[in-house]
Amino acid sequence: MLTVETRHAVHPAAAKAMDTAALRQNFLGSGLFQSGEIRLIYTHYDRMVVGGVVPGDTPLTLDHVAEAGTASFLDRRELGVVNIGGPGRVSADGTAHEMARGDVLYLPMGSGPVTFAGDGRFFLASAPAHATHSARLIPLAEAKTLNLGAAETANKRRINQFIHPLVMPSCQLVLGYTQFEAGSVWNTMPCHTHDRRMEAYLYFDMKPETRILHLMGEPSETRHLVVANEEAAISPPWSIHSGCGTGEYSFIWCMAGDNVDYTDMDMVAMEDLR
């Protein structure tokens, strides 16, 4: 079963007037991981698509998605897949990729139908593409890692870069995930914006009672979302994207836009936040 929800772009002036329900309707992705289903969110921010796939007992195939306007979803798109579940298999273009928990798979434009099987819980991120690169399965050991933050500021973390210029080429999709040391709960703080790219987060590895206070909005007009396990936050280019958890968590980050430069960001001073 395939479900696609469309999210339109929101002007920052409109976001200032939104109540909690409107903010969640426009910027929170919930219920993405349902057994036997493919659930996608098609955003009008750089045409990014994010979603979840849980094969369950029967393999699921991602092929025609009407919102993409092509015969097959990857005819003019590239795709990143992150397995946050048990062992699974993703097959495309005649190759079956065995994915362990934490593995990332890149599939280029023109890969054709994609079939998901096994016990995996697959997070998807897709952006329009203009060229074909090589498919690649990237285990955690092959990721580029950055160790940032400190225990004193409760943000000691490891950033794992997978679909990234230092690891492998892509058209515009950049993707990885961040893991925290015990006792560290703050992510992406001090915060930033990047007007040339949108970004989306998927929070995972959380206990049922844990919540993330995900900060968004313009630096001078911040808002927040209360996010549960395996929920996504969609960040417009004009918005900060930062958060603090009530317990342990990890998060996947994915970006699309004008470039693939991970450091292309406009830092926001703490004293400028409102």
Side-chain angles (χ1 to χ4, degrees):
M1 178 178 176
L2 171 67
T3 302
V4 184
E5 180 186 355
T6 297
R7 300 286 181 91
H8 292 280
V10 176
H11 192 280
K16 292 179 183 180
M18 287 182 175
D19 62 11
T20 298
L23 287 171
R24 293 175 71 85
Q25 181 179 2
N26 282 277
F27 303 109
L28 182 68
S30 58
L32 295 177
F33 297 89
Q34 304 296 323
S35 183
E37 296 188 32
I38 300 173
R39 292 196 171 189
L40 305 177
I41 297 175
Y42 182 99
T43 79
H44 282 259
Y45 296 111
D46 292 296
R47 304 290 172 173
M48 173 74 87
V49 174
V50 296
V53 182
V54 184
D57 296 330
T58 305
L60 298 173
T61 298
L62 175 64
D63 190 9
H64 177 66
V65 176
E67 287 76 4
T70 53
S72 188
F73 183 63
L74 295 185
D75 282 353
R76 294 184 60 83
R77 283 182 164 272
E78 56 188 353
L79 176 68
V81 182
V82 186
N83 184 9
I84 61 172
R89 180 184 303 108
V90 180
S91 303
D93 200 21
T95 301
H97 305 272
E98 301 291 339
M99 296 189 68
R101 180 179 177 84
D103 286 353
V104 173
L105 174 65
Y106 173 79
L107 293 176
M109 179 181 73
S111 293
V114 184
T115 299
F116 302 85
D119 295 325
R121 297 172 72 81
F122 302 102
F123 174 74
L124 309 185
S126 174
H130 58 271
T132 298
H133 297 285
S134 298
R136 181 176 170 185
L137 177 65
I138 314 167
L140 179 58
E142 296 180 13
K144 174 70 174 178
T145 62
L146 297 174
N147 293 297
L148 299 178
E152 292 78 8
T153 49
N155 69 345
K156 191 174 182 180
R157 63 201 189 274
R158 172 175 169 163
I159 298 174
N160 305 293
Q161 301 168 334
F162 290 84
I163 303 175
H164 185 283
L166 295 177
V167 180
M168 57 162 292
S170 66
C171 290
Q172 63 167 320
L173 184 64
V174 181
L175 180 148
Y177 56 78
T178 299
Q179 299 168 304
F180 293 85
E181 296 286 337
S184 286
V185 292
W186 274 103
N187 75 66
T188 327
M189 183 62 79
C191 63
H192 60 264
T193 62
H194 29 68
D195 195 53
R196 293 153 294 280
R197 295 181 298 183
M198 66 82 64
E199 187 160 1
Y201 283 1
L202 180 86
Y203 290 101
F204 69 108
D205 278 350
M206 296 162 55
K207 294 180 179 178
E209 67 273 17
T210 299
R211 292 294 183 271
I212 305 295
L213 293 179
H214 178 85
L215 303 179
M216 60 163 295
E218 294 179 286
S220 61
E221 287 279 350
T222 58
R223 300 290 186 268
H224 74 270
L225 299 169
V226 178
V227 183
N229 188 43
E230 296 185 354
E231 290 187 325
I234 298 167
S235 178
W238 46 262
S239 176
I240 66 169
H241 36 283
S242 178
C244 186
T246 63
E248 292 181 279
Y249 69 100
S250 301
F251 72 96
I252 299 167
W253 42 266
C254 53
M255 296 178 279
D258 276 336
N259 61 50
V260 292
D261 181 0
Y262 182 81
T263 63
D264 180 14
M265 56 186 71
D266 302 311
M267 300 303 299
V268 178
M270 293 293 293
E271 59 268 27
D272 292 335
L273 289 174
R274 295 292 184 269

